[in-house]
Amino acid sequence: MKLLKKSKPRRKKRTRIVSRVLFFTGFIFLGISILYVLYLDGAVVKKFEGQRWQLPSKIYSAPLKLSPGLDIAQAGLVSRLKRLAYREVKRPIQNSGEFFRSGEFVEVYLHPFDYPNYAEAGLPIRVSLSEENRILKVSDLSLDIDLDYALIEPEVVGGFYEAEWEERRLIQLSELPKILTDAVIVMEDRKFYEHPGINIKSIARAAWVNLRAGGIVQGGSTLTQQLVKNFYLGNERTFARKGQEALMALLLERRYGKDEILETYLNEIYFGQNGIMGIYGIGQGAWFYFEKAPKDLTLGEAALLAGIIRSPNVFAPSKDINKAIRRRNLVLEVLFAEGKITLQSYFSARGEKVIAKTLKQRLNTAPYFIDEIRRQVADLYPRRILTSGGLKIFSTLDPEIQRIAENALKKGLEDLEAKDSRLKRSDPDDQLQGALVAIDPKTGAVKAMVGGRDYQKSQFNRVTDAQRQPGSLFKPIVYLTAFEQAARGGTPYTPISEIDDAPVTLSVGGKEWSPENYDHQYLGPITLRAALEGSRNTATVRLSQEVGMDAIISMARDIGIKSPLKPVPSLALGSVEVSPLEMGVAYSTLASGGVFRPAMFLEGIIDPRGLPIEKEGDDSRDLRPRQVVSASAAFLVTHLMKGVLDSGTGKGVRQLGFKAPAAGKTGTTSNLRDAWFVGYTPDLVTVVWVGFDKNQHGALTGASAALPIWTRFMKEASFSAPSDFTPPTGVVLLHVNDRGMICDKDGSEEAFILGTEPSQTCDKGILKWLKRLFF
């Protein structure tokens, strides 16, 4: 009995201890729970009221300019329209995004588009064509007037993003047709406007199913919970995560209104993939699947779009068109059952044709070019701004010219290896390589750039970063220096001035240097034209000694060569190392009549609102065109290099079928390690380099290796009607015979700086007297 009496106080004491432990445990749990709820509430507010989405910055190509003379077939107009989601119709155009073709014209209803300096309203245009598919005129159909030109908007060619590219077109709830939001709500959460964020009945039903299955196999999620999962949490399927999801949904609904939650949900939902792009939001989904704004969707399209939300990888038309149609029909049935549509509308929508979406994404078509854009933009803006700020970055890239360039270089290198097995290497790191860059000399815009044979195997950009000897490509700078001296009243050099093509020995650093001609032959006194057309080494070295190495270096600097230059005699033959881009800029200065323009990759940048952004740290003075050499001297060199193509070392261009007026120069280095060709028309300057990265001997010449690639490219990339170089003021064109006399009968056309032209004529007797009398 005594033992029993003693045990009662002990049990009471133990009970009090347990009660206290439970009380403190409960108190601690409650405190932690409150803190956890406050933490979740803070997380909900922080993202919902901050920057809700990471908007990738997109890199755009240049627009396609439609103007008289353009060959629309070569420019790839139709393929470009299709990539930009224009719809071809069988009748004259009526709506934005349509185009119509007939034999004599093409009609296009342009999309509206924000450019860096202005916003282009969508307008209907007609492009009238010649029998050769060249544009005769461009007309605005809305105003019935002729235009100087029209622009087809740029394409997205790359971007800045973090782990995933989430492509969105943000919309407001007021922009959406009611039937579209009704369709989403009846399929995803019929009680959306009635529950506080969670639906107890749905949760209970799903919980019972999940308990029987031993895991999460069914959700009872409301639309708000779906938003929480996508917006905050991710796709993990555990009981703990579902609890967190429900709690955050309640907090979200306590903080914000139903319409704001619905709008955010509609901008967040996932609609599938377009290559590396994830399609997010109802705005982008409508554009991706139907090429329309949401407000323009038909009932059938709205139902199909709402049906995709549950599982884009199952119900998208591009995945399984039959499943997509059945899902759309189910949405229509539910809408009818809920009284949202009439029976007539139901049957009409069921009869709408569904088209399987063909992916039109064409990203990373110019990887070397895009890398250069990324490098330049990364120097201007922090990465956070680029990956989430939604900037539109406009480049100078022409996608069609880029495609032609990549194909020309690839096939050209393959052809060289097929013709000469010594050039073929089994090791990818030792493969024959090449580079090509095309520049518009009127603007400095880089239209295409291929930095190597295969970007997947080598990301080294040989256009911008390779330093190679240009060889004879440097020679025109020597002749330009001579003609510039003549233009400024110095020695009156002309294309028919003579220079001795004979052995020459010079002292360089205490050693003798004796250059030789490529063919080891010497022609004696020859004209400057013959010396450049034939790429004569000894004649060019003699001319360089006459005009002075310092003057040549100064000229090279003025027209765009930035690499170190030493005042040694071999510089005249290209012993310096330069990049292909530098040579492209230098020759662009010649093509533009002596006006220097730096190579330009960026056209402008705008923010998501369409407002232009100034490029930080950029000195616009460096981008201004500058007349660095007289137009007359530049024209004389161009005129000489036209002869290079017609009868000199570049005559293979004509033999391979390129007939348009053009100028150019071959370049070959000692030991045949580097092969170059640079040529240009008034509209396009193109540089091609071929060689091995490790400087191996390759038996390569500019005429045999680089010239065929250049010609293949230019034959396809010259979209506009051919035009010739126009002589500037201060230049006279005369027919001169081989004795240097003006002679209309048997002379060839030659260009002279005014005041340096010959005075003697080949006319005799009474004809000579009459000309003197009347002319």
Side-chain angles (χ1 to χ4, degrees), residues 542-553:
R542 274 195 168 82
L543 180 62
S544 71
Q545 293 300 297
E546 290 183 15
V547 300
M549 299 310 300
D550 289 340
I552 292 170
I553 290 174

Side-chain angles (χ1 to χ4, degrees), residues 363-377:
L363 296 175
N364 291 333
T365 55
Y368 293 103
F369 189 102
I370 300 304
D371 277 357
E372 179 63 19
I373 290 289
R374 289 195 177 106
R375 184 189 65 78
Q376 291 190 16
V377 176

Side-chain angles (χ1 to χ4, degrees), residues 67 76 107 127 174 224 346 365 526 623 650 699 752:
S67 58
E107 290 182 355
V127 179
S174 58
T224 311
Y346 166 75
T365 55
I526 57 174
L623 302 177
F752 298 90

Side-chain angles (χ1 to χ4, degrees), residues 414-433:
E414 290 172 352
D415 288 349
L416 287 170
E417 290 173 334
K419 291 176 184 176
D420 188 346
S421 59
R422 294 174 299 172
L423 298 175
K424 197 167 183 66
R425 304 285 194 272
S426 57
D427 187 345
D429 292 337
D430 293 332
Q431 270 191 318
L432 183 65
Q433 279 291 350

Side-chain angles (χ1 to χ4, degrees), residues 534-712:
S535 199
R536 310 303 293 177
N537 289 341
T538 57
T540 301
V541 169
R542 274 195 168 82
L543 180 62
S544 71
Q545 293 300 297
E546 290 183 15
V547 300
M549 299 310 300
D550 289 340
I552 292 170
I553 290 174
S554 177
M555 179 62 71
R557 289 270 178 260
D558 287 342
I559 65 174
I561 303 297
K562 297 180 179 179
S563 295
L565 302 173
K566 293 181 180 180
V568 294
S570 61
L571 176 64
L573 304 183
S575 63
V576 65
E577 290 187 339
V578 296
S579 71
L581 184 61
E582 285 179 276
M583 296 311 298
V585 172
Y587 275 72
S588 291
T589 305
L590 290 172
S592 63
V595 178
F596 167 79
R597 294 179 177 88
M600 181 173 64
F601 293 83
L602 283 171
E603 284 279 9
I605 302 173
I606 62 176
D607 67 16
R609 297 168 296 171
L611 300 176
I613 297 175
E614 294 295 328
K615 291 181 278 187
E616 299 174 9
D618 176 44
D619 189 346
S620 59
R621 291 174 299 178
D622 294 337
L623 302 177
R624 293 175 185 168
R626 302 194 307 273
Q627 188 79 44
V628 295
V629 63
S630 67
S632 54
F635 181 83
L636 259 62
V637 175
T638 293
H639 203 256
L640 290 187
M641 288 196 290
K642 287 177 68 178
V644 171
L645 267 61
D646 293 334
S647 57
T649 56
K651 61 187 177 183
V653 167
R654 303 306 187 197
Q655 294 169 353
L656 290 172
F658 186 73
K659 304 301 182 185
K665 185 70 186 77
T666 54
T668 306
T669 59
S670 57
N671 297 320
L672 308 180
R673 289 173 176 161
D674 296 277
W676 297 78
F677 191 81
V678 180
Y680 54 92
T681 66
D683 301 313
L684 197 63
V685 175
T686 303
V687 181
V688 176
W689 168 84
V690 176
F692 290 98
D693 286 340
K694 297 178 181 178
N695 255 333
Q696 300 102 313
H697 173 78
L700 299 167
T701 68
S704 66
L707 180 150
I709 295 172
W710 183 93
T711 307
R712 185 196 297 266

Side-chain angles (χ1 to χ4, degrees), residues 330-440:
L330 174 62
V331 176
L332 291 170
E333 289 170 13
V334 175
L335 284 170
F336 175 68
E338 293 284 324
K340 302 295 184 181
I341 59 174
T342 65
L343 185 62
Q344 182 180 355
S345 297
Y346 166 75
F347 282 114
S348 176
R350 276 188 66 116
E352 290 182 23
K353 185 178 180 181
V354 176
I355 300 173
K357 173 77 177 182
T358 301
L359 300 186
K360 293 181 173 63
Q361 181 211 33
R362 190 169 182 247
L363 296 175
N364 291 333
T365 55
Y368 293 103
F369 189 102
I370 300 304
D371 277 357
E372 179 63 19
I373 290 289
R374 289 195 177 106
R375 184 189 65 78
Q376 291 190 16
V377 176
D379 289 340
L380 300 173
Y381 305 106
R383 179 169 179 80
R384 179 182 58 81
I385 296 296
L386 294 173
T387 56
S388 63
L391 304 181
K392 290 183 177 180
I393 301 163
F394 293 90
S395 78
T396 59
L397 179 76
D398 186 307
E400 193 64 21
I401 294 180
Q402 178 68 27
R403 181 193 65 78
I404 295 168
E406 291 173 353
N407 184 61
L409 186 66
K410 179 177 181 291
K411 289 188 175 180
L413 295 177
E414 290 172 352
D415 288 349
L416 287 170
E417 290 173 334
K419 291 176 184 176
D420 188 346
S421 59
R422 294 174 299 172
L423 298 175
K424 197 167 183 66
R425 304 285 194 272
S426 57
D427 187 345
D429 292 337
D430 293 332
Q431 270 191 318
L432 183 65
Q433 279 291 350
L436 185 153
V437 61
I439 302 172
D440 180 349

